[in-house]
Amino acid sequence: MCGIAGFLDHRSAAELARTAAAMAATLRHRGPDDVGVWTDPAAGVALAHRRLAILDRSPAGHQPMESACGRYVLTYNGEIYNHPELRAELSALGHAFRGHSDTEVLVEALAEWGVEATLPKLNGMFAFALFDRATRTLTLARDRFGIKPLFWARFGKRFLFASELKALRAHPGWQPKIDPESLGAYVRWGHVPAPYSIYRGVYKLLPGTWLALTPKSEPKISSYFDPAQAAAAAQANRLAMSEAEAIEELDALLGDAVARCMVADVPVGAFFSGGIDSSLIAALMQARSSQPVHTFTVGFQERHYDEAAHARKVANYLGTVHAEVMVTPKDALALVPRLPYWFDEPLLVRSQIPAMMVSALARREVIVALCGDGADELFGGYPGYFLARAVHRATAGLPPPLRRLAAATLDGLIATAAALTRILPAAHRPGLPTNQARQIAAVVRAGGGIPELYAQLYSATAETLPLAGRTSEHPLLWQKAKHLNAMANPIDRMGYFALLGTLVDRTLAKVDRASMAHGLEVRVPFLDHRIVEYAWRLPAALKYSGQTGSKPLLRRLLYRYVPPELVDRLKRGFSCPLPGWLRGPLREWAEELLDERQLREEGLFDPAAVRECWNRHLLGSANYWQLLWTILMFRQWQRTWAAAPVPTADTLATPLKVHRA
């Protein structure tokens, strides 16, 4: 895993090298092992690279890397898991290799077959830039599911790209301006949806696409993986098999994906909560390892959120070398102001803090870690999906008067529950999920379908956005017409929406920034494209059962490795006690950022609306943590990136208390 950056800008040779080096310097945390800069002053191009050496740690893996023919130059971030097969195929065509890195395989594959033919051959996670010296064409590409990030910008005749926004800032042509539509989308959804960024004129390259820029053309973006087409093909070719056969096939597929993700010239471990997904990944790793696998988990003082004891039991059964970090409110308070530096864009993810802490813990012992992200989206792991389906089934055929009555009844139940909680001391009020309930009531009242229910469940608020003035919002990718009905089954459809939206723009962005802040590479076996396509081909009856998203197929596969009594428990998810922390240890920090006078002077948020949400959250009559965290992260992000000088990684070390099981 690495950091890449570069640009097209006609400057002197010295300026090209100096600017590229400055961009690379901001990405040192992504690649602490090596740095490289390559320039072509005649073409006005500079490529930069920060290396985290995983495969072939020798100088033979140095980047930017030229092809053997000398025509192509590559700067690349990621891992190509099928590089041995590609190497054999290229060797048969006469290619000779100097080292054993996947980087060399990739650049030779691009030289042999070209970008368009090579991309569909790749199994892996990647973002890369390739410069063709003969045609002076710069090409950017990103993996199918957006596991690795890639930003690009056009300012006049300058073209910039990088793994993180902070690298673009190091270019003297950087012209940052907040995009109002991105801000609107961020406040609604808690993330800026690809292909947009928080800045006007700065974009995220969409997953499964490549961008080509020649001296005589504007950037042209093409797709090599269309999820709507892949979903349609999968549904047209549904698998007819028993549950036993489905489990056997999944065991083989996921086991192969895990084995490929374990290939490295450095220590490898796993993030571990003791839940179905992470336990299955760890079990498959342990079954393929001659040594105990290292596993890492996060614990909390708050018992409702703490999974450390359970994770320890499962880890002991599997025989892993297990370590855990306990996250205290004091740790959270120290880390929260630093989050915007690492995440570059404001982001609403409840697990940002534990992700940073567990990454720091893991990096002390390993350089690569596997995680279970993607399983919930593919195999029905979110209870909200089943709730939305139930609401849709119960209300879809109701006439408008009955829909309004049902919504009014739900509103009344919300009000009654909120009133009853007021008899408790404020510090012990449960913080009812009133926002989500109101969102469902709004859809019931309006008679919306599955897309509307999903949108309401995963937006930060059911009410008018607390922004000053009327602000439009960029649409989400899954809201495009071709995606709305790409999957027939409602649970499949919502998982598909998440795969295109919250997974890539929230979860994977969180994992990438948190892990790379500590020079840790995280690999995601469930997002091997073979597993995604297999899950889409499975009949819903094999993947889902009941109303709560128990992931029966994954659960029964895990029974092969872990006894049911260690597996069967309520889903908690990788989270942290933010609602309560905002009422307690983070309250003073939040109060300052939500100061009504400052909000009014800034002119972006409606001070009265924000303060009302904040006061109701403090009272415990509503649980507005999502909306409040969204605003707090934006305001802290503004402070971070408006400051001069910009804080550096060396001043932002994550505090840790490590406890070994």
Side-chain angles (χ1 to χ4, degrees):
M1 200 67 63
C2 307
I4 66 173
F7 57 91
L8 291 173
D9 188 9
H10 284 281
R11 308 167 68 84
S12 71
E15 288 176 319
L16 285 174
R18 184 165 55 248
T19 301
M23 294 175 76
T26 68
L27 302 174
R28 183 181 180 278
H29 53 285
R30 298 186 72 93
D33 297 328
D34 190 20
V35 61
V37 169
W38 181 91
T39 66
D40 183 342
V45 63
L47 305 180
H49 189 264
R50 288 293 323 197
R51 186 184 183 197
L52 179 63
I54 302 294
L55 286 172
D56 194 346
R57 293 167 61 83
S58 76
H62 177 79
Q63 296 187 51
M65 182 180 290
E66 294 188 31
S67 61
C69 65
R71 175 174 172 176
Y72 300 96
V73 186
L74 175 72
T75 182
Y76 148 67
N77 168 29
E79 299 293 337
I80 307 301
Y81 301 130
N82 64 333
H83 72 92
E85 294 94 325
L86 295 174
R87 179 186 294 265
E89 191 173 349
L90 290 164
S91 295
L93 294 172
H95 287 264
F97 291 90
R98 297 156 285 177
H100 67 270
S101 73
D102 59 332
T103 306
E104 189 177 5
V105 172
L106 178 57
V107 74
E108 295 305 326
L110 292 165
E112 175 68 36
W113 297 311
V115 173
E116 189 169 7
T118 298
L119 287 170
K121 293 176 178 283
L122 303 179
N123 178 347
M125 56 180 187
F126 56 85
F128 68 75
L130 180 77
F131 186 68
D132 182 340
R133 302 174 74 177
T135 64
R136 294 188 174 180
T137 299
L138 178 66
T139 300
L140 309 182
R142 195 176 181 199
D143 63 67
R144 290 173 178 83
F145 303 110
I147 302 171
K148 301 320 300 171
L150 190 54
F151 294 87
W152 65 274
R154 192 74 184 268
F155 297 124
K157 294 183 179 180
R158 299 185 182 97
F159 182 88
L160 318 178
F161 70 87
S163 298
E164 297 182 10
L165 286 172
K166 60 175 63 69
L168 301 184
R169 284 178 163 271
H171 192 286
W174 170 253
Q175 300 172 13
K177 291 183 180 179
I178 291 175
D179 182 351
E181 290 182 282
S182 292
L183 176 59
Y186 164 71
V187 177
R188 171 74 67 190
W189 305 109
H191 65 270
V192 179
Y196 308 100
S197 83
I198 192 65
Y199 295 116
R200 182 179 296 164
V202 182
Y203 302 94
K204 301 161 185 152
L205 188 65
L206 282 173
T209 67
W210 52 290
L211 177 153
L213 178 63
T214 69
K216 297 181 179 180
S217 72
E218 291 296 309
K220 178 185 177 182
I221 298 176
S222 304
S223 172
Y224 70 91
F225 177 78
D226 185 332
Q229 290 181 4
Q235 290 175 100
N237 190 27
R238 287 284 195 189
L239 294 168
M241 56 173 57
S242 67
E243 182 183 81
E245 291 171 326
I247 292 173
E248 192 68 32
E249 180 69 14
L250 181 58
D251 197 2
L253 269 176
L254 188 56
D256 182 68
V258 166
R260 290 176 181 270
C261 287
M262 293 175 68
V263 175
D265 294 336
V266 295
V268 179
F271 289 168
F272 191 75
S273 69
I276 293 174
D277 311 331
S278 64
S279 295
L280 186 52
I281 295 298
L284 290 169
M285 291 177 71
Q286 192 63 74
R288 286 156 179 79
S289 175
S290 60
Q291 300 293 326
V293 171
H294 288 259
T295 53
F296 309 94
T297 196
V298 171
F300 297 96
Q301 294 176 341
E302 294 81 357
R303 293 183 60 186
H304 177 71
Y305 292 88
D306 185 47
E307 296 184 295
H310 175 79
R312 202 178 306 129
K313 291 178 182 178
V314 180
N316 287 340
Y317 181 86
L318 290 173
T320 70
V321 177
H322 189 62
E324 61 191 44
V325 57
M326 300 302 295
V327 183
T328 68
K330 184 178 179 181
D331 296 327
L333 186 59
L335 183 56
V336 162
R338 308 171 185 179
L339 292 177
Y341 176 82
W342 297 113
F343 286 86
D344 272 335
E345 283 190 307
L347 185 67
L348 163 68
V349 182
R350 192 171 186 163
S351 53
Q352 285 170 291
I353 296 169
M356 290 288 288
M357 300 292 283
V358 77
S359 294
L361 171 67
R363 187 58 172 85
R364 293 188 170 193
E365 298 184 28
V366 302
I367 301 178
V368 173
L370 277 60
C371 75
D373 289 326
D376 286 323
E377 289 77 8
L378 294 172
F379 294 94
Y382 291 119
Y385 294 177
F386 295 83
L387 173 63
R389 183 183 65 176
V391 169
H392 183 253
R393 285 176 173 175
T395 63
L398 293 178
L402 288 180
R403 286 204 307 269
R404 289 193 292 270
L405 177 61
T409 301
L410 184 55
D411 285 334
L413 291 173
I414 296 167
T416 300
L420 289 173
T421 64
R422 295 192 185 103
I423 66 175
L424 298 172
H428 295 89
R429 293 174 189 171
L432 298 169
T434 52
N435 188 48
Q436 289 83 351
R438 288 192 179 94
Q439 288 167 303
I440 294 171
V443 176
V444 170
R445 188 177 287 108
I450 289 296
E452 290 77 17
L453 278 164
Y454 177 84
Q456 288 290 348
L457 281 170
Y458 289 94
S459 63
T461 178
E463 299 151 10
T464 303
L465 297 183
L467 292 167
R470 300 183 63 180
T471 302
S472 58
E473 307 162 26
H474 286 307
L476 302 180
L477 182 62
W478 64 262
Q479 292 176 320
K480 290 188 175 182
K482 74 172 183 177
H483 296 302
L484 288 176
N485 295 298
M487 305 292 281
N489 179 274
I491 307 300
D492 281 340
R493 195 182 311 172
M494 286 184 278
Y496 175 86
F497 293 162
L499 200 69
L500 270 61
T502 51
L503 179 68
V504 61
D505 290 325
R506 281 197 203 176
T507 305
L508 295 178
K510 170 207 70 180
V511 171
D512 175 81
R513 307 309 188 276
S515 60
M516 294 310 295
H518 300 94
L520 177 75
E521 174 172 303
V522 174
R523 300 178 178 178
V524 195
F526 277 108
L527 292 184
D528 183 308
H529 69 276
R530 299 169 302 163
I531 294 171
V532 174
E533 291 164 8
Y534 173 74
W536 285 350
R537 292 182 64 197
L538 285 170
L542 284 178
K543 287 191 290 184
Y544 316 128
S545 67
Q547 303 295 318
T548 60
S550 59
K551 292 180 285 193
L553 206 60
L554 295 186
R555 187 182 297 271
R556 291 187 177 97
L557 174 54
L558 182 57
Y559 290 164
R560 292 184 170 189
Y561 302 94
V562 180
E565 58 267 24
L566 286 181
V567 175
D568 295 334
R569 64 191 183 107
L570 291 175
K571 177 182 178 66
R572 288 185 178 177
F574 190 47
S575 187
C576 71
L578 272 180
W581 282 354
L582 286 173
R583 297 186 182 99
L586 296 182
R587 179 170 178 169
E588 185 177 345
W589 165 78
E591 279 282 7
E592 182 187 0
L593 289 172
L594 299 179
D595 177 75
E596 194 166 355
R597 180 183 57 80
Q598 291 184 27
L599 291 172
R600 187 174 294 108
E601 290 175 355
E602 183 183 68
L604 293 175
F605 295 96
D606 180 342
V610 172
R611 293 300 300 186
E612 181 183 1
C613 290
W614 176 232
N615 290 333
R616 291 177 66 185
H617 183 84
L618 290 177
L619 288 171
S621 61
N623 192 354
Y624 281 112
W625 79 266
Q626 286 181 295
L627 179 61
L628 292 167
W629 194 253
T630 300
I631 297 169
L632 289 165
M633 283 291 97
F634 179 81
R635 299 219 64 234
Q636 188 67 56
W637 171 82
Q638 281 185 303
R639 286 191 175 186
T640 300
W641 291 110
V646 173
T648 64
D650 292 339
T651 66
L652 294 168
T654 304
L656 270 183
K657 293 180 181 177
V658 179
H659 305 274
R660 186 171 297 282

